[in-house]
Amino acid sequence: MSVARSPFPKDQLLCSICQHVFTDPVSTPCGHNFCKNCISEHWDINVPCKCPNCKKRFKRRPVLQVNSLISEIVSRIKESAQQRASSSSEQQAANPREVPCDICTGTKLKALKSCLVCLVSYCETHLQPHLTVSGLKRHQLIDPVENLEGRMCMKHDKLLELFCKDDQTCVCMLCTISDHKQHEVVPLKEECEGRKAELEETEAELQQMIQQRQLKIEEIKQSVKVSKENADREIARGVQVLTRLRDAIERKQAEAIKVITSKHTLIEKQAEGFIKELEQELCELKKKSAELEQLSLSEDHLRLLQNLQSLKAAPPTKDWTEVRVRSPSYEGNMRSASAPLVEMLIIELKKLLPKTELRTAQQSAVDVTLDPDTAHCQLLLSGDGEQVCHPKYGDFEKKLPDNPKRFSTGLCVVGKQVISTGRFYFEVQVKGKTQWVIGVAKESINRKGLLYIDPQNGYWTLGLRKENKYYAPACRLNSKSQPEKVGVFVDYEEGLVLFYDVDAANLIHAFTGCSFTERLLPFFCPSSNQAGKNSAPLIICPVNRTT
């Protein structure tokens, strides 16, 4: 039975105290009906007992009688409502993320609305009185929310519908005439609109941060991928080189052993021939000796005399006085076999040197300029700080204040740019010069007196000498070509300093395994003028990253 079919008007099926459909309806002696719990709680508070509807006063607290008819009607209404709820696709049991109906018993259905007056959330069925009963229609309904009690002012028991900007808190209407009387108060909706604008900005910032981190994740993944590819490539190259070296060593070892063994075999055969001849002669001599001994013991005088001359003659033998079995010289055979391996080892090891491709190195290009405060007083620097040379004596004179940073003896200058982390690359034109030195140096190098340019003293450089020989400290390089432009690459963390012939895109030399513990500076030495033969300047060139 539905509410529409019941013999009672809709209002008569609602408890006048809680304004909900009756629960355990009971009747008072005056004939009015209430929820048993509602009227009991009402009389517990209000003494003497009166009917909430007609205000009739009772001398004694009446004994409440169950209204069987209304109980049956309400029971059928609730049963019918539950049946409709179970058959309706829109009426679903509330999941943990949804607000449940506060009235449902048993399975809690999903709330459709929450009432800010009743502080109760209703499913579709239990919401019907708020949609049909005139007194309940005036209640404010909102989308279902939890903790409706938290929307009430704890001090005044009124709805929190305003916002105090001074105290940054939600307040009710009574708060505005008491504790927040002189404060700036606005409706919650107005404050929320402003806060939503802030949230949108925050959300945009968060989205940007999310995007940045997603890009960083992809960047890191790509770095790992590149690292794996580089590692696999280096392993393959190393295995290939070392395998060739191993095969060459085994081959040269076998060849050397064969040569030595062949020489010894010839000696053995020669010795065997000598021994064989000696043994034959030894056998003949022993035989002759036995015959002589037997003859000397003979009593036959005639036989002794007849055979004496023939037995006295020595058997034919070889003169062994000068015969020698001389051991051949085995020394140098292994060395001769190993000599090609040394050259091969050098060639193959060069292949294993950490080699950053020029194109990759150029991506780390930095604009380098010379620091005039460090230049030797005889050096001439261009106005843009990108060229340096040593003019002829007498053609250029300048008096400069001495300072700890200036080179006093070496014709040197350093760059302004500091290398303390990451990768660093610059290019220098050396065309037309017969002597020069370029590279990097520690910031703390001694700049006074004689310079000892080597890694032990904080220099990692490449240079050209008079005899057109390229050299690095403790190492002379065989360069088939004479580069006109040299690229200098530094990987601070990896401890690498590489020098390139830019035009040929070839690696000239590499310092590896360097342990950098302080800041580095670009280093330049144009060397002396040499009567005009070395007058061309060192020129710092812009880097073409697409070459």
Side-chain angles (χ1 to χ4, degrees), residues 167-230:
D167 293 338
Q168 293 291 300
T169 185
C170 297
V171 298
C172 69
M173 290 295 297
L174 293 180
C175 290
T176 62
I177 59 177
S178 58
D179 298 340
H180 301 266
K181 185 176 181 179
Q182 303 298 327
H183 295 178
E184 182 182 0
V185 178
V186 297
L188 288 180
K189 182 178 180 181
E190 179 181 334
E191 181 66 19
C192 284
E193 288 177 354
R195 296 296 177 93
K196 284 182 179 179
E198 294 178 5
L199 288 176
E200 289 177 358
E201 294 179 3
T202 304
E203 175 64 16
E205 293 175 0
L206 289 174
Q207 289 298 326
Q208 184 178 4
M209 293 173 66
I210 290 171
Q211 186 177 10
Q212 289 174 346
R213 278 148 183 79
Q214 288 175 338
L215 292 174
K216 181 58 67 174
I217 289 173
E218 293 302 319
E219 177 186 332
I220 293 173
K221 287 182 177 179
Q222 182 63 25
S223 298
V224 172
K225 180 181 177 182
V226 171
S227 175
K228 183 65 168 61
E229 292 173 352
N230 292 340

Side-chain angles (χ1 to χ4, degrees), residues 245 340-352:
L245 285 172
L341 292 175
V342 174
E343 183 176 355
M344 180 181 179
L345 177 63
I346 294 173
I347 294 173
E348 296 296 342
L349 286 179
K350 284 184 178 180
K351 296 178 182 179
L352 288 178

Side-chain angles (χ1 to χ4, degrees), residues 234 237 241 244-245 342-356 475-480 498 507-510 512:
E234 183 64 19
R237 185 170 60 179
V241 168
R244 284 200 298 267
L245 285 172
V342 174
E343 183 176 355
M344 180 181 179
L345 177 63
I346 294 173
I347 294 173
E348 296 296 342
L349 286 179
K350 284 184 178 180
K351 296 178 182 179
L352 288 178
L353 285 173
K355 182 179 180 182
T356 301
C475 176
R476 177 173 292 187
L477 311 175
N478 293 319
S479 180
K480 296 180 180 179
L498 310 181
L507 179 67
I508 302 174
H509 185 62
T512 63

Side-chain angles (χ1 to χ4, degrees), residues 228-421:
K228 183 65 168 61
E229 292 173 352
N230 292 340
D232 291 342
R233 183 167 56 252
E234 183 64 19
I235 289 172
R237 185 170 60 179
V239 169
Q240 185 180 28
V241 168
L242 295 175
T243 299
R244 284 200 298 267
L245 285 172
R246 183 196 63 197
D247 293 344
I249 290 171
E250 291 177 351
R251 185 170 59 254
K252 291 298 182 180
Q253 174 183 298
E255 291 175 359
I257 291 174
K258 183 178 180 181
V259 170
I260 294 171
T261 302
S262 298
K263 289 182 178 181
H264 177 67
T265 300
L266 289 175
I267 294 301
E268 281 187 332
K269 289 182 179 180
Q270 184 183 36
E272 287 175 0
F274 290 156
I275 291 172
K276 187 175 182 180
E277 288 185 55
L278 286 168
E279 287 178 345
Q280 289 177 350
E281 290 186 0
L282 185 59
C283 183
E284 292 296 328
L285 291 173
K286 286 182 177 180
K287 181 179 178 183
K288 177 70 71 173
S289 175
E291 291 177 352
L292 287 174
E293 182 180 2
Q294 184 179 7
L295 185 60
S296 64
L297 297 175
S298 175
E299 296 294 335
D300 187 349
H301 303 295
L302 177 62
R303 180 172 174 272
L304 186 147
L305 294 173
Q306 289 178 343
N307 295 303
L308 181 61
Q309 292 299 324
S310 60
L311 290 176
K312 282 179 63 177
T317 57
K318 183 176 181 179
D319 184 4
W320 294 94
T321 304
E322 301 299 330
V323 175
R324 297 285 188 276
V325 177
R326 301 184 183 277
S327 175
S329 174
Y330 298 113
E331 296 179 2
N333 287 275
M334 280 295 184
R335 185 168 58 251
S336 298
S338 302
L341 292 175
V342 174
E343 183 176 355
M344 180 181 179
L345 177 63
I346 294 173
I347 294 173
E348 296 296 342
L349 286 179
K350 284 184 178 180
K351 296 178 182 179
L352 288 178
L353 285 173
K355 182 179 180 182
T356 301
E357 295 296 335
L358 179 59
R359 185 185 299 250
T360 303
Q362 289 174 330
Q363 301 307 311
S364 303
V366 176
D367 293 330
V368 173
T369 53
L370 303 171
D371 185 353
D373 292 337
T374 68
H376 187 279
C377 61
Q378 293 181 4
L379 292 180
L380 176 62
L381 275 62
S382 62
D384 58 9
E386 295 180 352
Q387 299 185 32
V388 58
C389 66
H390 181 233
K392 292 182 180 180
Y393 292 113
D395 291 349
F396 178 73
E397 294 182 1
K398 60 180 177 179
K399 294 182 180 181
L400 298 172
D402 193 15
N403 63 69
K405 298 197 307 181
R406 190 179 304 283
F407 290 91
S408 64
T409 304
L411 298 173
C412 306
V413 60
V414 294
K416 295 180 179 179
Q417 288 66 32
V418 173
I419 310 166
S420 59
T421 186

